Amino acid sequence: MSKHQYAMVMDLNKCLGCQTCTMACKKQWTDHDGMEYMYWNNVETRPGHVRDAPFQYKEGEVPGGGYPRNWDKIGGGFDRNGQLTPSPLPSAEDYGKAWEYNYEDRLFKGSKKSVQPNDANLNWGPNWDEDQGKLNGSDNFYFYLPRICNHCTHPACVEACTTKAIYKREEDGIVLIDRDRCRGYRHCIQACPYKKIYYNEVLGKSQKCIFCYPRLEKGKVNACAAQCPGRLRFVGLLDDPESPVHKLVVKYRVALGLLPDRGTGPNVYYVPPFNPPRKANYGKSLLDDPRIPLGYLRYLFGPAVFDVLRRLEGELARAQNGDKSELLQLLIGRDDNVRYRIVDPETMHPFKNAPTHQLVQLGMIRREHA
Amino acid sequence: MIATRHRLRTLLPLIAGSVGLFILIPASRPGADETQKRGDTNTEPAARLVVQLGTYQGKSEELLDPDAKAWDKAATTRIILNRTPRVYQTEPIHPPAPPALEVRGLRTEGKVMLRLRWNDATRNAPEAPPPKPAEEEDPSKLYKRPTRETDAFADALAIMVPDDWSPQQVPSLVMGDRKTPARLYHWNASRGADQLIAKGRATQVSSGKSFPFHDRHADGYWTLTVDIGEAPAACPIAFAVWNGHDKDRDGLKFFSIWYNLQEH
């Protein structure tokens, strides 16, 4: 366990599935040889993968899909006895191979055919099940799930690595791969329950999300968070009482880790999604008549999700009655200094050498806001 | 001892009443005693495991040809291979059968040349694009060499000898130890030959050197000829085989215990 822990909170009620975070990460980090299939940050649609008609949710059902395909079903993490349960390795097809398009014909050879993939029989891609929802009774439900490495408190990848190439940084809990030690055995990929480590065939080594540590060290927030138009990402040290992630996870307890039953202690937290109320349920509680089946939310975020939904609903009711809700103001996260607090983990103080125009963003100059 | 085992065998299931224990206690083990009486090769002491080394008058490069006539006359040693133990419960309980590895050895120009042949139904050599030298790195270049397979592993074989051996020394089988580092000649069907130095498990580092080799996969067999340089007489030698088809890599492999080179 590290001395401090950087964490991210993502409010799933605000994600619009635009993939700007995915592209920000792609341009910043995975724009090199052997990395074209990697999305250290990806946004997938849940429940997704509903090609079998009728698209009706059945009680207790856990739909598949995602990136890589069925990542949450194939295994990984620890069992109840603390034993690693490695999964099979996802294939390149499971991740979704990069499609080739007919640009050459369309742009240079005068073809009138619209731009489209060369392969007419494509049946999977990294965002194949985009916007695919499911029916719960007569109401449709779906939501977006942005995912990065969870920089777990007990990382299964660290446990599985036989060459001691993966380590968790003592000062801020970021999990990194030592490129010199890694020999590309891929035990880590099998062990990770979130499948957030990727194999680079050109290098013969594995690679993963680095939580933008070089940016953090300069006082800048992660690229995926900086670019997010939905402003749904909150970043800070979990043990810094001033940080928004501390407030959301520890103080208000409205954000939960993904698949907590895998035993790794993920440090990316999610505010669970509501979706709009169902038809003709005026006056009913979210928990009495949910649009997103509660069983599905429980599968993703564990049994604590019921308490979280109840708490959020209480705050909403309070705001609707005209009272002030600190929590909702925080979740709205209008300004950068509300959403991010990037500090030096050793001193817990914002970086002193940060440029003046960033001081507000870094929380050094506090701006009064509603 | 045998009587105790018999008593345990009858009593334990009664006490525990568990089906699991029935499975754990072998129903009968007459085979073990008989094997020792017969002196089966599988139970011979390690000291008697040798790799016969003939002599060859000629250039070492000629022996890289697996069909060189000299190899026909060289004595064949059949290496006993073992599977590494399971680490995780998710690994198959019944590991694949070990391949039959045959080694022929010839010494020429002071160097030890080995011809290794083992059965492997599939040739697994995922062709990774060669790494680009750092100075050619051009971030503006749009063309990327893609990753084609994420779950493929190459067939491989390794030969381990002590790095600096003096007689009577027996280095650790687990890739040497601090006092006696191991030198590994690692051949990989995808990435070729690499020499490594290790001072114990998971301490291997590439020495940046390659070694001469020739590989061929035909009719369900790999044939590999290697030049492992000037190994001293009676030097310990051990072997490991990885089958890429079964996703073998790292510790998931077949290994032999120490043999000794024996000139004749």
Side-chain angles (χ1 to χ4, degrees):
Chain A
M1 224 162 127
S2 54
K3 276 197 271 179
H4 304 284
Q5 178 69 56
Y6 259 116
M8 191 182 282
V9 173
M10 304 189 199
D11 184 352
L12 297 184
N13 294 291
K14 294 167 85 179
C15 182
L16 45 144
C18 65
Q19 307 282 359
T20 309
C21 48
T22 310
M23 287 303 116
C25 178
K26 190 88 196 140
K27 279 303 285 177
Q28 179 106 50
W29 301 119
T30 60
D31 195 19
H32 299 277
D33 286 347
M35 299 175 104
E36 84 299 331
Y37 81 99
M38 292 182 202
Y39 296 96
W40 291 356
N41 178 106
N42 78 296
V43 183
E44 54 199 51
T45 304
R46 288 276 146 178
H49 197 52
V50 284
R51 282 181 293 159
D52 45 330
F55 307 147
Q56 188 79 30
Y57 179 80
K58 299 177 198 86
E59 194 51 46
E61 182 194 15
V62 181
Y67 162 83
R69 184 160 45 194
N70 287 335
W71 62 267
D72 55 327
K73 305 274 186 49
I74 56 179
F78 302 96
D79 67 11
R80 282 178 195 171
N81 304 320
Q83 270 262 348
L84 272 179
T85 53
S87 74
L89 276 172
S91 67
E93 284 75 20
D94 289 330
Y95 289 103
K97 287 193 168 178
W99 301 347
E100 295 292 332
Y101 288 79
N102 59 342
Y103 292 125
E104 187 80 15
D105 293 350
R106 182 75 177 92
L107 300 177
F108 303 113
K109 292 185 181 164
S111 164
K112 294 280 181 273
K113 223 171 152 185
S114 61
V115 171
Q116 52 191 259
N118 291 335
D119 183 355
N121 300 315
L122 290 167
N123 60 11
W124 196 251
N127 194 23
W128 182 261
D129 38 13
E130 181 171 30
D131 291 353
Q132 293 208 24
K134 223 164 188 183
L135 278 179
N136 180 18
S138 58
D139 297 300
N140 174 48
F141 76 95
Y142 78 96
F143 57 92
Y144 300 110
L145 183 69
R147 300 202 302 120
I148 61 170
C149 167
N150 283 289
H151 298 275
C152 302
T153 305
H154 310 292
C157 54
V158 172
E159 181 102 0
C161 180
T162 54
T163 53
K164 302 184 186 86
I166 312 183
Y167 61 101
K168 190 169 174 65
R169 291 218 301 196
E170 183 70 16
E171 66 268 35
D172 54 15
I174 295 174
V175 177
L176 298 172
I177 300 177
D178 181 339
R179 202 156 132 169
D180 293 333
R181 294 191 74 95
C182 175
R183 291 183 58 81
Y185 294 143
R186 287 162 265 177
H187 299 301
C188 52
I189 303 178
Q190 291 188 270
C192 175
Y194 307 102
K195 296 293 164 275
K196 273 293 170 191
I197 302 189
Y198 305 89
Y199 178 63
N200 184 324
E201 198 184 35
V202 176
L203 293 175
K205 290 169 194 294
S206 295
Q207 296 176 310
K208 66 180 284 298
C209 160
I210 55 174
F211 208 75
C212 285
Y213 78 86
R215 290 176 62 98
L216 294 179
E217 286 171 0
K218 288 180 181 173
K220 290 188 177 185
V221 76
N222 313 51
C224 55
Q227 296 289 321
C228 178
R231 298 186 293 196
L232 57 101
R233 295 185 187 227
F234 300 80
V235 181
L237 287 171
L238 203 53
D239 48 333
D240 172 8
E242 294 289 304
S243 86
V245 297
H246 176 89
K247 288 176 186 165
L248 291 170
V249 177
V250 184
K251 186 178 172 194
Y252 296 113
R253 291 182 294 146
V254 291
L256 298 166
L258 190 60
L259 301 177
D261 58 326
R262 306 298 161 94
T264 61
N267 283 306
V268 172
Y269 298 83
Y270 295 93
V271 178
F274 273 40
N275 270 193
R278 288 169 70 119
K279 275 174 276 180
N281 76 342
Y282 181 76
K284 282 184 187 169
S285 146
L286 188 72
L287 289 168
D288 291 340
D289 194 16
R291 181 180 281 256
I292 303 173
L294 291 177
Y296 187 47
L297 290 180
R298 184 196 162 106
Y299 164 72
L300 288 176
F301 305 111
V305 77
F306 303 133
D307 284 343
V308 168
L309 290 174
R310 200 170 286 130
R311 244 174 254 135
L312 285 168
E313 203 174 34
E315 287 290 321
L316 271 177
R318 194 210 286 228
Q320 281 158 359
N321 286 336
D323 292 337
K324 198 176 168 186
S325 165
E326 254 183 66
L327 168 60
L328 290 187
Q329 286 301 322
L330 177 58
L331 281 175
I332 288 168
R334 194 170 281 112
D335 298 315
D336 284 0
N337 69 322
V338 177
R339 298 196 306 276
Y340 318 131
R341 190 172 140 85
I342 313 302
V343 299
D344 177 355
E346 294 305 321
T347 59
M348 290 275 189
H349 287 117
F351 285 84
K352 281 183 182 147
N353 56 354
T356 320
H357 66 274
Q358 286 185 342
L359 293 182
V360 170
Q361 175 178 338
L362 298 175
M364 273 189 86
I365 301 169
R366 297 213 156 265
R367 199 198 281 165
E368 286 302 316
H369 60 95
Chain B
M1 180 63 201
I2 289 167
T4 318
R5 198 191 296 142
H6 272 288
R7 207 174 302 135
L8 269 179
R9 204 185 301 144
T10 41
L11 282 178
L12 261 182
L14 292 172
I15 298 161
S18 145
V19 181
L21 278 170
F22 274 105
I23 298 163
L24 284 174
I25 310 280
S28 71
R29 288 193 53 200
D33 303 335
E34 280 169 27
T35 312
Q36 273 179 6
K37 274 179 217 156
R38 280 207 313 269
D40 191 286
T41 48
N42 281 331
T43 54
E44 268 188 55
R48 284 161 64 184
L49 293 175
V50 291
V51 172
Q52 303 277 352
L53 209 58
T55 48
Y56 176 69
Q57 307 296 328
K59 293 201 166 164
S60 61
E61 295 89 67
E62 292 162 13
L63 293 177
L64 286 176
D65 175 8
D67 299 324
K69 287 230 169 109
W71 287 121
D72 296 340
K73 292 172 198 158
T76 303
T77 309
R78 185 146 179 188
I79 305 295
I80 303 165
L81 290 173
N82 316 276
R83 184 71 187 180
T84 45
R86 283 168 81 220
V87 176
Y88 303 122
Q89 291 179 350
T90 45
E91 285 172 40
I93 293 169
H94 302 291
L101 173 64
E102 288 177 358
V103 180
R104 292 176 196 202
L106 288 171
R107 194 186 279 279
T108 178
E109 299 174 324
K111 289 193 268 191
V112 173
M113 304 293 294
L114 297 174
R115 179 184 186 272
L116 307 115
R117 187 169 182 268
W118 70 99
N119 57 311
D120 186 342
T122 50
R123 179 183 181 274
N124 297 94
E127 280 175 39
K132 192 163 52 172
E135 61 266 25
E136 283 180 36
E137 207 65 57
D138 178 9
S140 68
K141 203 175 168 193
L142 279 171
Y143 175 71
K144 300 282 177 281
R145 290 171 305 159
T147 286
R148 284 170 291 196
E149 288 182 284
T150 54
D151 58 345
F153 295 91
D155 294 329
L157 180 139
I159 300 154
M160 177 166 72
V161 293
D163 186 38
D164 185 17
W165 186 67
S166 54
Q168 309 307 324
Q169 256 184 332
V170 182
S172 164
L173 185 63
V174 191
M175 299 170 85
D177 47 60
R178 271 187 211 170
K179 281 183 191 164
T180 34
R183 189 161 69 231
L184 297 139
Y185 295 88
H186 187 262
W187 165 85
N188 178 305
S190 284
R191 292 174 189 266
D194 185 22
Q195 271 192 54
L196 303 134
I197 295 286
K199 292 176 182 176
R201 183 183 162 270
T203 61
Q204 72 278 26
V205 280
S206 174
S207 61
K209 285 184 243 169
S210 184
F211 57 90
F213 74 98
H214 177 277
D215 61 35
R216 179 175 72 195
H217 187 269
D219 307 324
Y221 280 88
W222 273 111
T223 311
L224 174 70
T225 46
V226 292
D227 173 349
I228 62 164
E230 296 173 358
C235 164
I237 185 165
F239 303 89
V241 174
W242 290 264
N243 185 351
H245 178 264
D246 294 334
K247 305 210 185 300
D248 281 359
R249 78 278 196 190
D250 189 19
L252 302 167
K253 67 187 173 201
F254 298 98
F255 69 98
S256 80
I257 57 170
W258 288 115
Y259 282 62
N260 286 88
L261 295 176
Q262 189 178 64
E263 321 264 342
H264 71 98

